[in-house]
Structure formats: structure tokens, C-alpha cells
Amino acid sequence: MKQWLPFLKSDPTVAVIRLSGMIGTTGRGALNDASLGPVIEKAFSKGKPAAVALEINSPGGSPVQSSLIGARIRRLADEKNIPVLAFVEDVAASGGYWLAAAADEIYADTSSVVGSIGVISAGFGLHELMAKNGVERRVYTAGESKSMLDPFQPEKPEDIARLKELLEDIHVNFKEHVTERRVGKLTAERDLFTGDIWLGRKAIEVGLVDGIGHLKPHLQKRFGEKVKLRRYGVKKGLFSRFSAQVFGDALHSIEERAQFARFGL
């Protein structure tokens, strides 16, 4: 009978977008704007949701993809005037926190790991191993910086200085994003941009999180017991799961496991 009476108020719906895993362009399951774009657009557009909830469990990754995903979320939230709520599971660190900061409010578990607002670059130096095995590296470039930080050559002080300059520029972008999104909430008593991390309650004290809360109970309390959760995520076809990407996906899984392990997870 209800479908014939459009003036009757229906139960509110909240769109839930799951953001779980490393942020990057490679590896099956990696979070990036290309794969998530259509998902995010649909979540904001289908059925006029009362809110969009971000279910986050990410140790971070690419700063560019973090920025692209976060910017898309903010653009749609502002265009459609829909509030965005983030719910942190195990971790929202580095780029994972960038995504959380795209929300209007952030909630976490008491043991959730939050923060790591910094930038890191890591690699290996293989020039001594090559020399011991009689392997000669031959590189020819046009442009003196083209072979900067080549892992098969000894490090150069000028390359390290240039890398640190680039990392600092990215760090500034990160700090500006968090400061803008958390305006009036961040404590002035501590430097929150050292790459340090906090657990749920401490994260509230320093202003990185708004409260302790789990997704469904919080949404039921906020929108009523009958709130409907409509979930969105990237769907993987049969071919992508059993294709020749197995080796690349295995490497991605190892890297992702290492990133989560940094936070004891």
C-alpha cells in the first residue's frame, strides 16, 4: 500500500563505501580513483541518501590517489549537500587518514590506529651486491637528474637533498588538507604532523577523531533503528580474479601486509 502513497515518509538510507587496503594504482584490490570513482559517484547519487559513510581500514599509500579520492568525495558531498561520516576499523594511517579527513566527522574504535601524518620513501641499494658479483651498471642519460636515486648506483648527497625537498612538499600538502578539514578541532598543544600515531581515545583528545563509534550502531542512533544501509564497493569479475595478474597481486599482498604490520596489525 505504501508505494501508492508517495507523501508517506520512507525510512532513511545511508550509503556505505568500503575503503579497505593500500592506496595505489597497482595490485588487485588497491584503492585508487580510477576504480573507486564510479562507486563513489553512484553512492552519492542513488536514492538520495541521508548520509554517506566511509568504512576505512587502510595503512595508506599513494599521496596522489589519496588526494584524488578525497577530492572526489568532497566535491560530491558539497554539490549534493550530503554529510559524510568516516568510521575507522583497525587503522586509518597516512593516506588512510587523508581519506578519513575528507569526511565531516570521524569515528573510531578505542583500539583503532589513527594518524601517521607524514611522508615516507623507502628502497634498496644494490650497488655493493652488484660489485661483489662482477656486474657492471651502464646508464646513459640526457639530463643530470634523470638517474636520481638509481638503486644500482651509490647514493649522492644532492639526490638525497632533492628527495627530502620533494617529500617535504608532499608533507605540506598533507598538513594543509588535515588542517583545513579539521579546522577548530586540532589541539595546539602537540605537533600532530610528525608521523606519530594515536589510538582511539587519544586521537579524540588531539582532535584527529570526533568520537568512539561503530558504523551500524552509530547510524541507527543517529538516523533511527530502521535506517537502511546500502553498501558500495568495487566488484571484481571472474577474469580479474584468475588472470595472469597473480604474480603482481602476490607482490601487492606482500607489500600491503608489510604496511599493516608497521602498525602492529
Side-chain angles (χ1 to χ4, degrees):
M1 187 68 173
K2 189 175 180 180
Q3 68 254 32
W4 304 108
L5 301 174
F7 53 85
L8 290 182
K9 186 177 180 180
S10 59
D11 297 327
T13 298
V14 174
V16 180
I17 305 173
R18 182 157 183 81
L19 303 173
S20 179
M22 278 188 61
I23 303 166
T25 56
T26 58
R28 192 180 72 227
L31 304 177
N32 55 67
D33 187 61
S35 60
L36 281 170
V39 174
I40 296 171
E41 298 277 347
K42 188 175 182 180
F44 275 92
S45 302
K46 186 176 180 180
K48 297 182 179 180
V52 169
L54 307 178
E55 201 171 39
I56 299 175
N57 195 18
S58 174
S62 164
V64 174
Q65 293 302 318
S66 301
S67 179
L68 289 172
I69 296 168
R72 185 185 293 273
I73 291 170
R74 283 316 319 159
R75 173 178 60 81
L76 290 166
D78 294 339
E79 283 180 3
K80 299 179 180 297
N81 194 29
I82 296 175
V84 180
L85 310 175
F87 295 87
V88 180
E89 294 184 346
D90 297 281
V91 59
S94 195
Y97 186 74
W98 186 302
L99 299 183
D104 299 298
E105 299 172 22
I106 304 173
Y107 296 91
D109 183 80
T110 54
S111 298
S112 296
V113 178
V114 177
S116 190
I117 303 171
V119 185
I120 186 173
S121 175
F124 298 93
L126 303 175
H127 60 285
E128 292 187 2
L129 177 64
M130 291 175 61
K132 288 180 180 179
N133 288 275
V135 180
E136 180 183 2
R137 172 74 163 163
R138 296 175 180 175
V139 180
Y140 308 96
T141 68
E144 60 184 20
S145 297
K146 193 64 178 177
S147 62
M148 185 180 79
L149 298 173
D150 187 329
F152 300 103
Q153 295 182 357
E155 284 188 308
K156 301 176 184 177
E158 59 269 27
D159 288 353
I160 298 173
R162 178 59 177 147
L163 175 62
K164 288 184 176 180
E165 181 182 350
L166 296 173
L167 294 179
E168 182 58 33
D169 288 345
I170 297 173
H171 195 199
V172 168
N173 295 337
F174 199 168
K175 290 188 286 187
E176 289 179 348
H177 171 68
V178 173
T179 301
E180 177 185 350
R181 295 299 310 148
R182 303 292 296 173
V183 62
K185 297 181 178 180
L186 302 177
T187 180
E189 299 177 0
R190 297 189 63 171
D191 183 357
L192 304 179
F193 307 123
T194 63
D196 201 355
I197 56 175
W198 289 265
L199 296 185
R201 296 194 190 281
K202 288 291 184 181
I204 296 173
E205 291 179 13
V206 299
L208 295 177
V209 168
D210 294 291
I212 299 300
H214 298 166
L215 187 142
K216 187 172 182 178
H218 182 90
L219 295 179
Q220 287 179 326
K221 182 178 179 180
R222 187 159 182 159
F223 297 103
E225 289 292 327
K226 294 184 178 180
V227 63
K228 298 177 181 178
L229 305 185
R230 184 176 289 128
R231 295 184 173 274
Y232 296 87
V234 178
K235 295 181 179 179
K236 301 178 182 65
L238 184 66
F239 178 77
S240 67
R241 292 198 298 268
F242 298 97
S243 67
Q245 298 179 358
V246 172
F247 181 69
D249 290 340
L251 292 178
H252 171 77
S253 296
I254 293 172
E255 183 180 4
E256 183 175 79
R257 182 65 260 160
Q259 290 295 324
F260 273 106
R262 290 175 53 221
F263 305 103
L265 302 170

